[in-house]
Amino acid sequence: MLNINNNTAHIKREILVRLAKLMLEGNLENGVHLIPRQMMPRGAQPFHCCIHHDREIIRQRVIARLGCSVDDYDDEKRLADYVTEALNREKPGEEILTVLHDACNACVKSHYMVTNACQACYARPCMMNCGRKAISVENGRAHIAEDKCVNCGLCMQNCPYHAIIKIPVPCEEACPVGAISKDDSGREHIDYDKCIACGHCMSECPFGAMMDRSQLIDVLKHILAGKKVVAMYAPAIAAQFRASSGQLEAALVKAGFSSAMEVAKGADICADLESHEFVERMERGDKLMTTSCCPAYVAAVRKHVPALNPCVSDTRSPMHYTAKLAKEADKDCVAVFIGPCLAKRNEGMKDEYVDYVLSVEEIGALFIAKEIDIGQEVAAEIPEGEKAPTASGRNFAITGGVANAVKVRLKDPSILRPAIINGLDKNGMKMLMQFGKIQSGEVPATAETPNMIEVMSCEGGCIAGPSVIANPKIAANQLKKYVEAGSEG
């Protein structure tokens, strides 16, 4: 995963801040067309071939941040027209990812390359281990014949000098399900029938060509209209800000939300239900059960590992149960989930209780636009009669947290044999395939075979989601403090 401190991330967040400010000022339609020129003023050092190309890319980023698609981009359509489209829509578009073709670098096909570190050694393990005979020594250096090479990587693995390197296509390399490939122009294309919305491509593209379609304008529209808009923040969000328990709730209310709810409450409901479900499944003789909280994982099963379909927990996600609580308290409220995850936006669009899903990038931009310093807010207190979520509920945000929450609720924890897939990359998909073979009977189960599988699409858990704004290691420490400060049990 690219370090979150990079130019692409900064530009995308600055656009969100500018849009939020214009929206709050009531000047979005009139001021939006100035954003490309303001961000790339005359005389600025261009990132690409010229300043005009940079402005065009920023223009497309603005369109995506307005929640519109650029897949069918019209360069003659005014940004103000896109604003009108965003303000008039009843619900966001279904495809949550869009590709900025002008930003895509059309990276060369992934391949292996011999560097000048090659010593043309006598052992020549690169040649000896190449089953395709694609390597020869020419002019004192190994040479790879691209027409014979199958990109197996054995040459790189066997070179004692690390003289052979892989030149990847970052987005294709990051996609665990092969949903990204080049079109006829050499630029990347997303196959939405394969895509699981994990967001790995968005995190890894150093050109920022993969953009999520924002819902910030939709949410601000309801806030400015005076509607009761409830913020439901995931445990991972509390870990993104250096704030104590209660300060985030206060900041969200100051930002315009009518109230704020911890999704950890829904996590406790989820863990209670999943623990009961696990016992029932084991008693009836099921081989294994998998958790269902990560929507990217669930999509991976539905689309790519159908053998595991019967194993996915029937329990809904913490987001669902929290939104249900919000709607039960006020059926007319606008329920907005806030998380670090792209796939949650996909899930939210299909959930009967969730109206919108914002990323932590978006809520962070709103705080900046409203000049809210969370660390300076007076912490909101838990209403009388309410309990704080449990530590295990708040720890859903880290790898292993869901399985542990189920375990601590079992009368006999020894019946649970958990397996944790920490990151749904290509290796994670191979592990899923293997569990699918166990479920189908192709591979026999043993007494040691795991019977509970937790899958986190992002390595480290939700605190490392594709839209985070804090270093995952720092976020893990912040989450620990947050859990210790206010959790029950």
Side-chain angles (χ1 to χ4, degrees):
M1 180 176 177
L2 280 178
N3 191 299
I4 59 171
N5 183 27
N6 63 77
N7 276 327
T8 296
H10 292 171
I11 288 172
K12 291 195 293 184
R13 291 168 195 165
E14 183 180 346
I15 291 171
L16 280 172
V17 173
R18 288 175 180 270
L19 289 175
K21 284 182 177 179
L22 288 171
M23 184 76 174
L24 294 168
E25 293 165 359
N27 194 36
L28 185 57
E29 288 183 271
N30 292 327
V32 68
H33 72 283
L34 294 173
I35 292 178
R37 277 183 284 170
Q38 290 171 340
M39 292 184 65
M40 289 302 297
R42 189 184 300 275
Q45 180 67 37
F47 288 99
H48 298 87
C49 58
C50 65
I51 196 171
H52 302 292
H53 190 190
D54 283 352
R55 287 177 178 175
E56 177 62 21
I57 293 174
I58 289 175
R59 185 177 189 274
Q60 293 180 32
R61 294 195 194 284
V62 170
I63 293 169
R65 288 311 200 190
L66 287 170
C68 303
S69 173
V70 296
D71 287 351
D72 299 315
Y73 175 61
D74 182 355
D75 60 2
E76 294 186 1
K77 188 173 179 179
R78 300 180 310 149
L79 284 178
D81 294 331
Y82 284 103
V83 170
T84 301
E85 179 184 321
L87 293 176
N88 290 337
R89 65 179 170 237
E90 293 185 6
K91 61 180 182 179
E94 291 186 3
E95 306 299 353
I96 57 175
L97 267 176
T98 187
V99 183
L100 277 63
H101 290 292
D102 282 340
C104 180
N105 194 49
C107 303
V108 296
K109 182 181 177 182
S110 178
H111 65 285
Y112 290 86
M113 184 181 78
V114 181
T115 71
N116 57 10
C118 178
Q119 303 290 309
C121 63
Y122 185 72
R124 296 185 179 175
C126 57
M127 290 178 58
M128 300 295 291
N129 289 282
C130 179
R132 303 286 296 193
K133 306 300 180 185
I135 300 179
S136 59
V137 175
E138 300 176 9
N139 300 319
R141 184 183 300 175
H143 171 77
I144 301 174
E146 292 187 9
D147 59 333
K148 295 181 180 180
C149 178
V150 294
N151 286 330
C152 66
L154 286 174
C155 56
M156 182 180 72
Q157 295 171 27
N158 283 281
C159 177
Y161 294 104
H162 303 287
I164 300 177
I165 60 174
K166 183 176 183 179
I167 308 296
V169 178
C171 59
E172 292 182 13
E173 192 79 6
C175 180
V177 294
I180 301 177
S181 59
K182 296 183 182 299
D183 59 20
D184 294 337
S185 69
R187 287 176 169 77
E188 301 302 330
H189 166 79
I190 299 174
D191 184 342
Y192 294 107
D193 290 332
K194 293 181 179 179
C195 179
I196 60 174
C198 63
H200 294 344
C201 60
M202 189 175 74
S203 298
E204 291 298 326
C205 177
F207 293 93
M210 304 292 177
M211 288 279 292
D212 58 318
R213 294 168 61 178
S214 173
Q215 295 181 10
L216 181 58
I217 297 301
D218 305 81
V219 173
L220 285 176
K221 179 175 65 175
H222 290 299
I223 289 176
L224 294 173
K227 293 186 180 180
K228 184 176 180 180
V229 184
V230 178
M232 308 175 298
Y233 67 93
I237 301 307
Q240 298 297 303
F241 302 99
R242 294 181 182 275
S244 62
S245 179
Q247 287 184 307
L248 179 56
E249 289 93 331
L252 288 166
V253 171
K254 190 173 183 178
F257 293 94
S258 58
S259 60
M261 298 177 65
E262 279 199 69
V263 177
K265 294 179 180 179
D268 282 332
I269 296 172
C270 176
D272 290 343
L273 293 172
E274 278 203 345
S275 61
H276 290 302
E277 182 184 357
F278 175 74
V279 172
E280 290 174 359
R281 282 174 175 258
M282 294 304 104
E283 288 178 347
R284 76 186 185 199
D286 285 11
K287 295 177 183 177
L288 54 88
M289 184 182 105
T290 76
T291 57
S292 62
C293 296
C294 176
Y297 156 67
V298 175
V301 169
R302 305 293 188 234
K303 294 184 177 183
H304 301 283
V305 197
L308 281 178
N309 262 323
C311 305
V312 178
S313 171
D314 295 325
T315 301
R316 303 287 290 271
S317 72
M319 175 178 73
H320 168 84
Y321 294 115
T322 309
K324 185 179 180 182
L325 291 174
K327 293 290 188 179
E328 287 173 347
D330 183 349
K331 63 181 179 62
D332 296 322
C333 77
V334 178
V336 180
F337 174 82
I338 303 170
C341 176
L342 190 66
K344 278 294 181 186
R345 183 162 287 166
N346 224 8
E347 180 192 348
M349 293 177 71
K350 300 177 178 68
D351 193 293
E352 64 269 34
Y353 295 115
V354 179
D355 294 299
Y356 299 101
V357 174
L358 293 183
S359 69
V360 66
E361 277 188 319
E362 290 165 317
I363 205 65
L366 179 58
F367 288 156
I368 294 172
K370 299 206 73 168
E371 299 182 350
I372 296 172
D373 182 350
I374 299 179
Q376 298 301 313
E377 294 299 313
V378 177
E381 295 183 359
I382 298 175
E384 188 175 347
E386 284 191 23
K387 287 185 177 181
T390 66
S392 61
R394 284 179 168 176
N395 273 325
F396 263 52
I398 57 174
T399 296
V402 182
N404 181 67
V406 171
K407 183 176 182 179
V408 298
R409 286 165 169 80
L410 295 175
K411 290 182 179 179
D412 180 10
S414 65
I415 68 170
L416 186 143
R417 300 187 302 276
I420 310 297
I421 297 181
N422 183 24
L424 200 55
D425 53 12
K426 289 181 171 66
N427 287 329
M429 285 300 298
K430 289 178 181 178
M431 293 175 68
L432 282 189
M433 296 290 187
Q434 188 65 17
F435 283 120
K437 291 178 180 178
I438 292 173
Q439 170 62 20
S440 66
E442 186 177 344
V443 173
T446 68
E448 289 75 35
T449 298
N451 56 10
M452 160 67 80
I453 305 170
E454 177 197 307
V455 185
M456 285 287 190
S457 174
C458 301
E459 185 177 351
C462 302
I463 56 172
S467 299
V468 298
I469 58 176
N471 183 294
K473 292 183 179 179
I474 295 175
N477 289 330
Q478 185 63 31
L479 179 68
K480 184 179 180 181
K481 293 178 184 177
Y482 197 79
V483 170
E484 292 172 348
S487 298
E488 297 286 340

